[in-house]
Amino acid sequence: MQKDDALDDLLSQLKNRQEQLAEKHGRYVPMALKIAPDLDDEQIQGIADAVRRHRMDGVIATNTTLSRTEVAGLPNADETGGLSGAPVFRRSTDVLKKLAVALAGELPIIGVGGIMGGEDAAEKIRAGASLVQFYSGFIYRGPDLVSEVADTLAKMMMKKA
Ligand SMILES: Cc1cc2nc3c(=O)[nH]c(=O)nc-3n(C[C@H](O)[C@H](O)[C@H](O)COP(=O)(O)O)c2cc1C
């Protein structure tokens, strides 16, 4: 899906449908594209150009990784599928940072991938995210993670003001 033509085709069809539905129901529902953390600089730039061109409402960076570098040698490291949680944090935040530069604030980015504590969420915001999301952290930390992230981000915003 991240290959140029396939992505262009998908976004164009989704955008058309979004517009039709907005007209039919009188309500515009924003649509964000979620991307992988396993992208090189050229792919990141290509995606940034495509989401701008198709007037997407945001980008979610990122999904799980196919890489096993961060867990090499650990039990079950060779299992297939997407890897989430702490091992995806660095890779995911690097993609977010590059995407933020490529988008130059034109579209909001939702930062997700390896947020296990408040400071991780703060780093996503510093890297260019407007919002954060976590999935694996919620499993390991439970609902306390929500208040910890909210407190850390509130303190960060207060320091800025
Ligand atoms: C078991 C599992 C199921 C997931 N299912 C979806 C899904 O259906 N759609 C989606 O966009 N992302 C899905 N994800 C990806 C997460 O939303 C998230 O982007 C990714 O796990 C990285 O964040 P995390 O480190 O906080 O888990 C799933 C992740 C896991 C671990």
Side-chain angles (χ1 to χ4, degrees), residues 34 62-64 84-85 88 112-115 133-137:
K34 188 168 186 179
T62 67
N63 213 315
T64 52
S84 68
V88 81
V112 51
I115 297 178
Q133 178 191 351
F134 41 83
Y135 187 116
S136 303

Side-chain angles (χ1 to χ4, degrees), residues 13 19 26 32 41 50 57 59 69 72 83-84 97 114 138 145 152 157:
Q13 291 195 42
E19 281 160 10
D41 293 2
D57 301 292
V59 184
T69 311
L83 180 67
S84 68
K97 212 177 275 178
F138 201 62
L145 182 56
T152 309
M157 299 302 163

Side-chain angles (χ1 to χ4, degrees), residues 37-38 64-69 81-83 91:
D38 307 314
T64 52
T65 180
L66 294 176
S67 163
R68 292 295 181 270
T69 311
L83 180 67
R91 185 174 276 267

Side-chain angles (χ1 to χ4, degrees), residues 5-6 14 34 53-54 71 81-82 91 102 107 127 135 138:
D5 289 351
L14 287 172
K34 188 168 186 179
R53 203 164 48 243
H54 292 280
V71 293
R91 185 174 276 267
L107 259 75
Y135 187 116
F138 201 62

